[in-house]
Amino acid sequence: MLSRIAESLFWIGRYVERADDTARILDVHVQRLSEDPFAEEQIACRSLLAIMDHPAPPAEELVDRDLVVRLLARDRVNPSSIAGALVAARENARRAREIVSTELWECLNTTRNEVSTMAPSLIPHDFFAWVRQRAAVVAGIMDSATSRDATWHFMILGRSIERADMTARLVTTQARLGAAGPGWTTLLRSCGAHEAFLRAYRGRADDDRAAGFLLRDPLFPRSIVAALTQADAALRDLEPAEAGRGAGDEARRELGIVRTELEYARLEDLLERLPEVLERVQLACARASDAVKDRYFPAAATTAWVGEAL
């Protein structure tokens, strides 16, 4: 497979997942600010922009939920926003058109076309719900209509790295804000994890277990450990057996170190230094992405839509 095709497939997975997870994070944030009249809106909004690695506006500028939604949801130019990520996913699908299935291409193309009208016309909650639905359609097509070859593995690798990074950012919102944050139950619901969490613990639910569930439950696909495990599996499958050790080890090493810490450290130790742990997860994902780029995309495309990371 040509490196430019592989790179486009990798970023299709990342951008669609980025749009999905950003919608989940913003939905929690906007809902909390709407329901809590005593929330410090400007502080919370600036904190969220920092968590999402978005440049902070000047100190004298008012930062409210409307500005955050405009910057992180409706901006079609910035690929770190929801609309921008969906546009970027479609552009990468266009570059890999000879590999991407017709169903997936039509889905991404339709989503790109519709986001122009959906983003400004819907209230934020409805727009975020629409984004999650479109991302679910893309995931369903990928799962049901893509052979488990290199095409699949590159898309899943991108999706898994992005998912681990974005789940870490979601949990960071609660870790930084503490009692002023949205609460662990709200975070579980935003990930679609609430029912799975209740089944796993059978009524013994508390905040520590909820945090541990999002960090390291091996069976729930949106937990950080599950996403890192899937990324590692994709890297193993992409590396030909005859290549030997070394070619793909760097990305696996970066992901494996942080995954091992999450899996084997005591939960109470993780929670005591949760912001630091989550920062290491994000750093490991960035380093693994760079290692994948160096290994598989040595001649990266010089375009604004490819290789843009949070």
Side-chain angles (χ1 to χ4, degrees):
M1 181 181 293
L2 295 175
S3 63
R4 66 173 180 84
I5 299 295
E7 184 175 28
S8 291
L9 296 171
F10 176 80
W11 283 99
I12 289 171
R14 288 204 70 164
Y15 280 130
V16 173
E17 185 65 27
R18 181 175 301 177
D20 186 2
D21 291 337
T22 302
R24 295 172 185 275
I25 292 172
L26 288 179
D27 202 15
V28 168
H29 178 81
V30 172
Q31 179 183 348
R32 185 180 69 85
L33 291 179
S34 299
E35 294 177 350
D36 185 359
F38 302 105
E40 293 286 348
E41 183 167 346
Q42 177 145 216
I43 295 175
C45 289
R46 286 187 177 274
S47 176
L48 180 62
L49 289 175
I51 289 168
M52 302 301 287
D53 286 343
H54 193 285
E60 65 274 10
E61 183 177 339
L62 175 65
V63 180
D64 58 11
R65 75 192 78 172
D66 292 334
L67 178 63
V68 167
V69 170
R70 177 165 60 82
L71 294 176
L72 297 181
R74 293 173 174 155
D75 186 352
R76 286 170 52 88
V77 177
N78 178 11
S80 292
S81 77
I82 294 172
L86 294 176
V87 171
R90 185 266 186 191
E91 289 302 304
N92 279 278
R94 180 180 61 80
R95 294 189 183 91
R97 185 65 190 88
E98 62 266 40
I99 296 293
V100 170
S101 70
T102 299
E103 280 186 286
L104 182 56
W105 161 251
E106 291 178 348
C107 178
L108 291 172
N109 196 44
T110 299
T111 302
R112 193 283 304 265
N113 293 338
E114 290 181 352
V115 76
S116 300
T117 56
M118 294 295 185
S121 63
L122 295 178
I123 63 173
H125 176 74
D126 290 345
F127 175 61
F128 301 146
W130 176 82
V131 171
R132 292 197 301 270
Q133 290 170 3
R134 296 307 297 176
V137 173
V138 172
I141 293 173
M142 287 171 55
D143 288 344
S144 63
T146 305
S147 296
R148 270 39 174 183
D149 56 9
T151 300
W152 159 264
H153 294 311
F154 275 117
M155 287 194 289
I156 293 303
L157 176 60
R159 183 175 77 180
S160 301
I161 290 177
E162 188 73 20
R163 180 172 290 178
D165 177 89
M166 295 297 281
T167 299
R169 293 175 193 271
L170 179 66
V171 177
T172 298
T173 61
Q174 180 62 33
R176 285 192 181 181
L177 296 175
W184 291 107
T185 298
T186 301
L187 293 190
L188 288 169
R189 292 187 187 279
S190 73
C191 291
H194 191 241
E195 289 80 5
F197 170 69
L198 293 178
R199 286 196 302 272
Y201 287 98
R202 299 182 182 277
R204 295 177 290 115
D206 56 38
D207 288 349
D208 288 354
R209 288 190 174 96
F213 189 84
L214 290 176
L215 288 175
R216 62 184 189 180
D217 187 86
L219 302 180
F220 184 69
R222 287 193 173 276
S223 79
I224 295 175
V225 163
L228 294 174
T229 300
Q230 189 166 48
D232 181 77
L235 285 166
R236 285 201 315 270
D237 290 332
L238 281 169
E239 198 64 42
E242 62 271 17
R245 293 181 56 82
D249 280 356
E250 185 61 26
R252 293 185 63 195
R253 185 183 71 82
E254 293 289 350
L255 299 178
I257 290 173
V258 71
R259 186 184 70 181
T260 300
E261 179 181 8
L262 290 174
E263 286 181 318
Y264 295 105
R266 295 180 183 275
L267 180 58
E268 54 268 28
D269 294 337
L270 291 177
L271 297 181
E272 283 180 3
R273 48 192 177 86
L274 190 54
E276 175 192 343
V277 171
L278 297 171
E279 185 176 353
R280 283 211 296 274
V281 171
Q282 294 172 49
L283 183 60
C285 290
R287 288 175 174 171
S289 183
D290 289 341
V292 169
K293 176 182 175 181
D294 292 342
R295 168 65 179 92
Y296 295 104
F297 324 133
T302 57
T303 171
W305 294 116
V306 179
E308 294 282 345
L310 279 169

